Amino acid sequence: MAKKKDLKQKVEKLREKVRELKALATETAGDLMEEIRDEVVQRASEAAAKAKAKHPVSPLAPEAFPELPVIDGVEFAAAAAGVRYAGRTDVMLARIAPGAAIAGVFTTSSTRAACVLDCQAKLGVAVPTDAGAAIIVNSGNANAFTGALGQASVDAVTGAVAEKLGVPASRVFSSSTGVIGEPLPHEKIVEAIDALKTGLDPKGMEAAARAIMTTDTFPKGACADVAVEGGTIRIAGIAKGSGMIAPNMATMLVYIFTDAKISAANLQKILSRQVGDTFNAITVDSDTSTSDALIVAATGRSAAPEISDLRSKSARAFEAALKGVMLDLAKQVVRDGEGATKFIEVRVTGAESAADAQKVAFAIANSPLVKTAAAGEDANWGRVVMAVGKSGARAERDRLRISFGDLVLAENGWRVPDYSEEAASAYMKNSELVIDVDLGLGSAAKTVWTCDLTHGYIDINADYRS
């Protein structure tokens, strides 16, 4: 009996020891999990701070996103689908009311993405006048150079949107921006469509602008009201773009909405002729994207009469306002140029032809030597002389005049007699610069906008995929 009793006591002691060990293990595990959570939170915070420090908001950015008007007949939503990064808002949806007119211009790249080809094809298809429409855009993946898979992804996404919103698939326009050459995980976008539909809101344009950003440091928006006989026309647009920006429309993603009454044909005419002096007059790095588009939708909900005669006063006012919104967005893209610290306007006058004026303007705006001089605040006007000479346009040394802002630096084949390096250098410290070149040969002119070239551009693009 004594042995049995001793055995029971030993067993009970062992059980007590086990309970103590379990309690200790639970406590230790809890402490360990808390330490792990603290470590994860700390590292995530450090990573976020590092990312923010690495890609801070451009010093050329507007003070705030503008207060955009509601465009009757358009709703917006944004969601995090995890196309490339978990937890990042990366898809936007716009639902457009039945009867809207749609127009667009697209990149002329010979390697343009499947979504661009699809949009171009759809704009050429006749649709019922009472058909609704939609635009869906993802960031993180360009769906470019992805072979037959690219079109399959476009079909999957646009087909799902068409089904959920009850609009023809031929009226669903898609865009993708991000890394080239990787298959688009379209199933993630399809899974997000229910949430996007639920979140549709006429006031959601700013969230949509944020969802389409890639290396952008700020969302871009612009608007205008046009008072015409019989009512007011409202225009509001958003854009993304920071790098891979060079003319050959389009060179970024842009979506503009208006309540104007206008046919698709007339809207297309206005859009096409205003591209040259807006989105085709900017450059960040001379690289033309494979994926980008400008789409304009007019819902026809304004009380103003239909714009049917493009020579009318109302039509001219609408076209001027639309151009203003386009130019505002285009300049914002340049102000957000990757690594930019200077916003540069290049004005060329006195060219023998429009083609020559454009050649000279872009030779200056795209010159790495001119752009790095601006970044270093070096008044090296000799690099402008170089750019004019290499442009291929007709130029004569003794007719050329070069100015930085109001300072005439060189003319008549030589620098001006009262040239001041100190004054020129002081001017280069401004965040906004004007380089003015008069060729003295004719009456043609061209103005383009660019930014400086800093080490920040290299930092962003050297590890773009990592």
Side-chain angles (χ1 to χ4, degrees):
M1 289 291 292
K3 288 184 178 180
K4 190 174 183 180
K5 187 177 180 179
D6 289 344
L7 183 60
K8 283 183 178 182
Q9 289 176 344
K10 288 180 180 179
V11 169
E12 186 57 37
K13 286 182 179 180
L14 287 172
R15 285 177 178 169
E16 181 62 27
K17 191 67 175 177
V18 169
R19 284 193 291 268
E20 290 175 359
L21 289 172
K22 282 183 176 180
L24 181 61
T26 301
E27 183 181 352
T28 303
D31 291 343
L32 183 60
M33 288 302 296
E34 188 174 347
E35 289 179 12
I36 291 172
R37 281 195 297 270
D38 290 345
E39 180 72 13
V40 169
V41 170
Q42 183 180 347
R43 291 195 178 189
S45 178
E46 289 173 353
K50 184 178 180 181
K52 187 175 182 180
K54 189 174 183 181
H55 303 306
V57 174
S58 169
L60 306 171
E63 289 186 6
F65 190 83
E67 186 175 343
L68 300 181
V70 168
I71 303 298
D72 191 5
V74 189
E75 300 169 286
F76 303 89
V83 173
R84 187 168 183 83
Y85 304 105
R88 175 173 171 173
T89 304
D90 56 4
V91 180
M92 85 87 162
L93 175 67
R95 178 165 64 184
I96 305 165
I102 310 289
V105 287
F106 304 88
T107 179
T108 58
S109 168
S110 59
T111 55
R112 54 194 181 276
C115 51
V116 173
L117 297 170
D118 187 69
C119 285
Q120 289 176 307
K122 286 175 176 175
L123 282 177
V125 174
V127 295
T129 56
D130 60 348
I135 299 171
I136 186 161
V137 187
N138 74 269
S139 61
N141 184 307
N143 192 23
F145 215 72
T146 49
L149 291 175
Q151 186 60 50
S153 291
V154 170
D155 292 342
V157 171
T158 58
V161 171
E163 180 183 355
K164 295 292 184 182
L165 299 189
V167 300
S170 60
R171 291 278 281 177
V172 180
F173 302 90
S174 71
S175 298
S176 296
T177 181
V179 174
I180 295 171
E182 295 182 5
L184 178 69
H186 60 259
E187 66 283 351
K188 294 182 178 181
I189 301 172
V190 170
E191 288 173 5
I193 292 174
D194 279 331
L196 287 164
K197 180 182 177 181
T198 301
L200 285 166
D201 182 352
K203 298 180 180 180
M205 202 180 299
E206 181 177 352
R210 293 183 182 280
I212 62 177
M213 293 166 55
T214 50
T215 58
D216 304 57
T217 68
F218 63 89
K220 300 162 185 67
C223 59
D225 282 353
V226 190
V228 298
E229 186 176 352
T232 298
I233 297 172
R234 292 180 173 82
I235 306 170
I238 58 175
K240 69 80 52 182
S242 185
M244 203 180 287
I245 303 296
N248 284 324
M249 194 60 214
T251 53
M252 68 294 296
L253 298 184
V254 185
Y255 307 97
I256 299 176
F257 305 90
T258 176
D259 57 7
K261 290 186 181 76
I262 186 171
S263 69
N266 281 338
L267 185 61
Q268 186 66 57
K269 286 178 183 177
I270 290 174
L271 176 62
S272 295
R273 65 192 184 195
Q274 293 306 328
V275 168
D277 289 331
T278 57
F279 292 110
N280 272 354
I282 63 172
T283 179
V284 168
D285 49 19
S286 80
D287 286 333
T288 297
S289 173
T290 63
S291 309
D292 299 334
L294 163 56
I295 297 175
V296 180
T299 66
R301 299 292 185 90
S302 171
E306 180 177 354
I307 297 172
S308 54
D309 180 1
L310 297 187
R311 296 167 296 180
S312 69
K313 185 178 179 180
S314 294
R316 292 197 302 271
F318 171 71
E319 184 165 357
L322 180 60
K323 179 183 179 180
V325 170
M326 292 167 64
L327 185 56
D328 189 338
L329 291 171
K331 288 182 178 180
Q332 287 186 56
V333 170
V334 174
R335 290 180 178 279
D336 202 15
E338 290 171 343
T341 64
K342 307 282 186 181
F343 178 78
I344 306 169
E345 182 173 302
V346 179
R347 302 173 184 168
V348 175
T349 56
E352 193 172 58
S353 66
D356 275 1
Q358 179 157 312
K359 286 178 182 177
V360 172
F362 279 112
I364 297 168
N366 283 325
S367 168
L369 289 177
V370 172
K371 290 158 73 72
T372 51
E377 301 180 341
D378 179 10
N380 194 341
W381 56 269
R383 292 181 176 180
V384 178
V385 174
M386 172 279 301
V388 173
K390 76 167 186 177
S391 69
R394 185 186 165 211
E396 293 184 15
R397 183 195 63 192
D398 294 344
R399 292 175 177 262
L400 197 63
R401 185 178 71 231
I402 297 172
S403 305
F404 284 0
D406 295 331
L407 300 172
V408 178
L409 306 180
E411 62 182 348
N412 301 321
W414 184 240
R415 67 185 184 188
V416 294
D418 59 349
Y419 173 78
S420 168
E421 180 72 14
E422 291 76 16
S425 295
Y427 177 76
M428 296 300 290
K429 295 185 181 301
N430 293 318
S431 61
E432 299 191 11
L433 305 172
V434 175
I435 298 175
D436 196 319
V437 173
D438 187 344
L439 296 173
L441 298 172
S443 59
K446 181 69 175 180
T447 298
V448 303
W449 294 270
T450 190
C451 58
D452 57 345
L453 180 59
T454 71
H455 204 284
Y457 182 88
I458 299 172
D459 292 339
I460 292 168
N461 286 284
D463 62 357
Y464 179 67
R465 297 199 304 165
S466 56

